[in-house]
Amino acid sequence: MGLRDGGPGPPSLLTLVTLFLFLILSLSYNGLVSADKSKSYSMQTLCKNHFLQQLYRKIDGAVLFSQNERNLDCVITFQTHSILQRFMLRFDGLQLDCNDHLFIYDGAHAVGTYKSDLSCKHTKQNLGAMFTRTNYVTLKYVTDNWGTDTNGFKLVITAVKDSKHACTEFRCNLREFCIADDLVCDGINHCADGSDESSKCQNNDTGTILGLEFTWFVVVVVSTLLVLLVLIVAISVCVCRKNSWNNRHGNSVQQQNAYSLAQMYGSNGHMTVKPGGGSTTTLADGGILHTTPTSGNWRHPAGPPGFRMPPALGRPYCPAG
């Protein structure tokens, strides 16, 4: 991207643009990761038959929605970010068909003895909160080909850390465990006692600037600066190229004019003419024009009156006198 005339600026500016682009990508990735800490999942989407179904999804919190899915037989595994955490599962809604089953396994695979087998006889009132002993939870959902829109569930999954592990994040009031700070005031009751969604969240604008989360605000600001920087670079390059082109074009015109004059007056020696008396003009090789004063009677240096100019000079010339 450098210029032929070695103009300063564009290479270093290009490096800055690259660094800003890398920063934006990093912030965007971090923002997406933060958004995944409390994400909503649809069982219909998660149970599609593709390779992503087999991945362990690391979460701090999630909400699973199910409504009248038919002919499903899928397995989904969630994992905490730390081995010091475990999962708490709590249903905000549960109404399964008697032929549908939701198996909950305390581990990374749907093998061995399941923790719970939920069906039509279970409701959210008689279940309460369930805790795993490991930092994995695996769900196996099996449904038949019949159902209604009232069949399904809403499951809140939260990664919790016991207080004995030096909890430094948000501590729930009625339960002795902590949850991630990003789960506080997100509209979902992760603590089960409502302490993470208390009344202080109604006027809590911390972490937001002009209505945007801090991460996305930084992304917007950096993106704007990047666009302005790119425009400055583009304008600078255009100006430098224009000046360089003008300089080359001017030199080309001067060389062409000198070449034309050299063809007119000859490429060897010089020619002396009298413009109107009192001075002589000499054009030497290289296209340099010299004017020297003269005095007295003037005659052509190449011969007497009646001298004819060489063919290269064009039309014949006979000085008067």
Side-chain angles (χ1 to χ4, degrees), residues 226-292:
L226 178 62
V227 172
L228 294 177
L229 183 61
V230 170
L231 291 177
I232 293 174
V233 172
I235 294 174
S236 300
V237 171
C238 292
V239 171
C240 291
R241 288 183 175 178
K242 183 177 180 181
N243 293 336
S244 176
W245 184 86
N246 289 336
N247 292 335
R248 291 195 301 267
H249 182 68
N251 294 335
S252 177
V253 171
Q254 292 179 359
Q255 293 177 358
Q256 184 177 2
N257 292 338
Y259 179 75
S260 300
L261 291 174
Q263 282 189 330
M264 180 180 297
Y265 293 104
S267 59
N268 297 322
H270 61 274
M271 180 178 180
T272 303
V273 296
K274 184 176 182 181
S279 65
T280 61
T281 302
T282 304
L283 183 68
D285 287 341
I288 302 175
L289 193 65
H290 301 279
T291 301
T292 56

Side-chain angles (χ1 to χ4, degrees), residues 18-47:
T18 304
L19 293 177
F20 271 113
L21 183 59
F22 177 76
L23 177 61
I24 285 180
L25 293 177
S26 300
L27 291 174
S28 300
Y29 174 77
N30 292 333
L32 293 176
V33 170
S34 298
D36 285 343
K37 289 187 176 182
S38 183
K39 187 173 182 179
S40 298
Y41 294 98
S42 168
M43 293 299 297
Q44 183 67 43
T45 302
L46 290 178
C47 291

Side-chain angles (χ1 to χ4, degrees), residues 2-279:
L3 301 177
R4 291 183 178 180
D5 56 358
S12 58
L13 290 176
L14 179 60
T15 303
L16 292 177
V17 170
T18 304
L19 293 177
F20 271 113
L21 183 59
F22 177 76
L23 177 61
I24 285 180
L25 293 177
S26 300
L27 291 174
S28 300
Y29 174 77
N30 292 333
L32 293 176
V33 170
S34 298
D36 285 343
K37 289 187 176 182
S38 183
K39 187 173 182 179
S40 298
Y41 294 98
S42 168
M43 293 299 297
Q44 183 67 43
T45 302
L46 290 178
C47 291
K48 287 182 178 180
N49 187 18
H50 52 72
F51 71 97
L52 292 177
Q53 178 181 337
Q54 307 300 326
L55 295 179
Y56 296 161
R57 291 171 172 82
K58 287 187 175 183
I59 60 170
D60 279 338
V63 180
L64 272 66
F65 292 93
S66 168
Q67 183 180 14
N68 193 20
E69 291 89 1
R70 301 182 183 184
N71 297 319
L72 289 184
D73 187 359
C74 69
V75 176
I76 304 167
T77 300
F78 294 96
Q79 179 184 2
T80 65
H81 287 280
S82 170
I83 60 175
L84 300 178
Q85 295 174 304
R86 56 183 180 143
F87 280 116
M88 179 182 71
L89 291 80
R90 184 183 57 81
F91 286 92
D92 277 347
L94 179 63
Q95 186 174 347
L96 298 180
D97 185 80
C98 290
N99 293 323
D100 299 343
H101 294 269
L102 177 62
F103 299 95
I104 302 176
Y105 293 85
D106 190 353
H109 305 282
V111 295
T113 304
Y114 48 78
K115 184 178 181 66
S116 299
D117 176 11
L118 305 183
S119 187
C120 61
K121 63 181 180 180
H122 298 93
T123 63
K124 67 176 184 177
Q125 288 79 10
N126 60 23
L127 281 179
M130 294 181 291
F131 292 87
T132 64
R133 291 179 299 174
T134 68
N135 65 321
Y136 290 90
V137 63
T138 300
L139 306 176
K140 182 178 181 181
Y141 194 35
V142 181
T143 64
D144 61 5
N145 60 357
W146 184 90
T148 65
D149 289 341
T150 58
N151 295 131
F153 60 83
K154 179 182 178 182
L155 175 60
V156 179
I157 304 177
T158 306
V160 300
K161 181 187 291 185
D162 295 328
S163 57
K164 64 181 180 180
H165 295 303
C167 173
T168 59
E169 296 180 295
F170 182 82
R171 185 184 297 272
C172 298
N173 289 343
L174 301 182
R175 296 180 180 270
E176 292 298 324
F177 56 75
C178 297
I179 64 174
D181 290 330
D182 290 340
L183 303 181
V184 180
C185 299
D186 65 346
I188 302 170
N189 183 11
H190 289 284
C191 283
D193 58 13
S195 57
D196 59 315
E197 302 297 323
S198 61
S199 58
K200 66 179 183 180
C201 295
Q202 297 179 359
N203 298 320
N204 185 9
D205 294 332
T206 58
T208 61
I209 301 177
L210 300 178
L212 296 175
E213 294 183 1
F214 178 75
T215 300
W216 292 110
F217 177 79
V218 173
V219 171
V220 171
V221 171
V222 175
S223 301
T224 304
L225 294 177
L226 178 62
V227 172
L228 294 177
L229 183 61
V230 170
L231 291 177
I232 293 174
V233 172
I235 294 174
S236 300
V237 171
C238 292
V239 171
C240 291
R241 288 183 175 178
K242 183 177 180 181
N243 293 336
S244 176
W245 184 86
N246 289 336
N247 292 335
R248 291 195 301 267
H249 182 68
N251 294 335
S252 177
V253 171
Q254 292 179 359
Q255 293 177 358
Q256 184 177 2
N257 292 338
Y259 179 75
S260 300
L261 291 174
Q263 282 189 330
M264 180 180 297
Y265 293 104
S267 59
N268 297 322
H270 61 274
M271 180 178 180
T272 303
V273 296
K274 184 176 182 181
S279 65

